Amino acid sequence: MRKWFVVIVSLLTLGVYAQDNDPFVSVNKVLKLMGTRFEITVVAANEEIGYININEAVAEIERIEKLISSWNINSETSEINRFAGMRPVKVSQELFDLIKRAINIAKITDGAFDITYASMDKIWKFDGSMKVFPSEERIKNSIAKVGFEKVVLNESELTVYLPEKGMKIGFGAIGKGYAADKTKKLLISKGVKAGLINAGGDLTSWGTKETGEKWLVGITNPLDKDKVFSWLPIVESSVATSGNYEKFVHFKGKKYTHIINPRTGYPTTGVKSVTIFAKDAELCDALATAVYVMGVDAGLHFINQLDGVEVLVVDDENEIHKSSGVVLDKSTNFKK
Ligand code: ADP
Ligand code: MG
């Protein structure tokens, strides 16, 4: 999944650079973690300290991946999934809390975001091999095991139970945001005064660049992905984007993406990309997926009711829709 919608502009000069009149330097590293492209930037007193901090960040992201990944058969997540329909599984406080927060997001989004989406039967193919639209009944049956409200959490025992065989949870739409937030917290606790963590397009920042300037996020023109048409500052906050999937399938004149609505079993339509702005990357990540599933009207209505959360949606026709709090530069031209 390529992410061209959100581009970091603070890193136009890659690597290490220092200002003559400022003892701080910015150190930057790009690497593949959690199956995605991570870019870690820290502002440090010198290059050596910066690289030590970056290594600490990498270790933290690797630790989180081990904990939450459903690909890793030894993760707590895999254990929960393996014992679905059999017995509750004891987990760490960290995973328990993540699941609890994910279920709260599922509640407020009415299941548009739902970690049990992973229980869906994979009846849709997006590689062109699917010639017939699945029957109503197959679609309905495909979501039979989905439902965040089925998950049994036992707070005092720290156990998680998926009550149906074949039921699964997955953190694909929240894990990168969580990892970004958690890494930022770790670096702050180590005394890193500023930085930017970009987890495959989901990013979070603190402090300012070594020059004192704000970190900026570039919003790319949906009609020309090489052109940025607006720079937005992110101050002690986060941004995440869902969408811009390269692969679409057409059925009955409609364009479908590979994100399935866990409530209906149908792939979503109408939305090209969703960018969420909020304090924490975890919430941004999850809500971007939720709004993607909800569609333009319901999604905007939903975000407008939340404090401290804003959204930009690009629809199928490349029209841009924004929540009430998004103030864009006058020079920003959103017309086609
Ligand atoms: P990206 O992976 O491009 O950052 P998202 O943050 O939207 O995009 O996450 C998409 C992933 O989340 C999917 O690949 C899948 O693993 C998972 N997912 C898909 N639909 C949902 C949903 N409705 N609720 C929760 N997770 C989902
Ligand atoms: Mg997401």
Side-chain angles (χ1 to χ4, degrees):
M1 269 169 270
R2 266 184 67 204
K3 282 279 161 52
W4 50 264
F5 194 66
V6 172
V7 179
I8 299 188
V9 288
S10 53
L11 305 174
L12 287 177
T13 328
L14 293 175
V16 180
Y17 43 94
Q19 297 286 307
D20 286 345
N21 54 356
D22 189 334
F24 281 89
V25 295
S26 177
V27 182
N28 166 261
K29 191 168 181 176
V30 176
L31 69 170
K32 197 159 179 183
L33 292 163
M34 298 177 87
T36 195
R37 179 185 184 276
F38 266 77
E39 187 157 8
I40 304 161
T41 307
V42 295
V43 174
N46 62 51
E47 200 180 312
E48 202 186 334
I49 295 175
Y51 279 116
I52 290 172
N53 294 147
I54 285 189
N55 287 338
E56 288 167 333
V58 172
E60 177 67 354
I61 297 160
E62 286 170 344
R63 186 191 67 78
I64 293 168
E65 182 175 13
K66 270 206 188 115
L67 177 72
I68 70 173
S69 161
S70 19
W71 301 111
N72 180 345
I73 53 162
N74 298 315
S75 71
E76 291 187 3
T77 304
S78 294
E79 203 183 340
I80 295 171
N81 291 343
R82 198 160 46 242
F83 288 104
M86 292 189 249
R87 63 163 174 84
V89 170
K90 183 142 178 90
V91 297
S92 60
Q93 186 77 51
E94 181 175 2
L95 194 79
F96 190 87
D97 292 344
L98 176 65
I99 294 174
K100 231 170 80 178
R101 291 194 305 276
I103 287 179
N104 279 333
I105 298 174
K107 281 183 191 153
I108 63 165
T109 62
D110 205 11
F113 167 87
D114 186 342
I115 50 170
T116 70
Y117 81 91
S119 320
M120 258 185 287
D121 299 336
K122 303 207 168 26
I123 60 168
W124 303 92
K125 295 216 168 55
F126 298 95
D127 56 5
S129 66
M130 197 169 98
K131 302 289 177 227
V132 201
F133 205 85
S135 68
E136 281 280 331
E137 186 163 7
R138 262 192 96 202
I139 296 170
K140 210 175 112 218
N141 290 340
S142 73
I143 52 165
K145 292 178 201 126
V146 175
F148 65 89
E149 58 289 310
K150 297 178 187 176
V151 180
V152 183
L153 297 181
N154 184 324
E155 185 106 49
S156 53
E157 302 281 324
L158 279 189
T159 60
V160 182
Y161 181 47
L162 306 179
E164 293 172 26
K165 237 187 153 59
M167 209 180 152
K168 289 191 193 85
I169 55 170
F171 299 100
I174 191 171
K176 283 179 287 168
Y178 173 64
D181 284 342
K182 193 83 172 122
T183 305
K184 164 166 125 179
K185 275 187 203 134
L186 176 91
L187 292 178
I188 290 172
S189 79
K190 303 265 179 197
V192 179
K193 69 167 201 163
L196 188 70
I197 314 284
N198 179 358
D202 298 352
L203 54 104
T204 190
S205 73
W206 72 105
T208 59
K209 293 191 235 182
E210 78 288 0
T211 56
E213 292 163 283
K214 291 170 185 165
W215 302 108
L216 295 175
V217 168
I219 304 297
T220 311
N221 186 334
L223 293 178
D224 183 351
K225 47 182 158 182
D226 297 325
K227 280 197 187 131
V228 168
F229 66 8
S230 183
W231 301 123
L232 302 175
I234 47 165
V235 181
E236 309 296 329
S237 63
S238 309
V239 186
T241 301
S242 269
N244 294 310
Y245 303 114
E246 313 268 285
K247 281 188 188 141
F248 289 95
V249 278
H250 289 87
F251 288 116
K252 301 176 180 168
K254 267 192 172 172
K255 209 168 154 189
Y256 292 92
T257 62
H258 80 272
I259 296 291
I260 319 288
N261 183 334
R263 275 285 186 254
T264 63
Y266 281 85
T268 59
T269 60
V271 179
K272 194 175 241 176
S273 78
V274 176
T275 300
I276 299 271
F277 302 85
K279 191 171 170 297
D280 295 324
E282 176 184 307
L283 186 67
C284 287
D285 193 1
L287 291 185
T289 304
V291 170
Y292 200 91
V293 166
M294 287 176 185
V296 179
D297 293 340
L300 256 82
H301 180 72
F302 167 67
I303 296 296
N304 278 332
Q305 291 171 313
L306 297 180
D307 261 355
V309 185
E310 301 297 340
V311 67
L312 271 179
V313 182
V314 180
D315 71 18
D316 254 2
E317 312 283 311
N318 292 318
E319 291 291 343
I320 305 219
H321 309 262
K322 53 191 183 67
S323 56
S324 49
V326 176
V327 182
L328 292 162
D329 200 88
K330 280 198 190 66
S331 62
T332 304
N333 181 9
F334 275 158
K335 291 274 147 29
K336 276 197 248 181

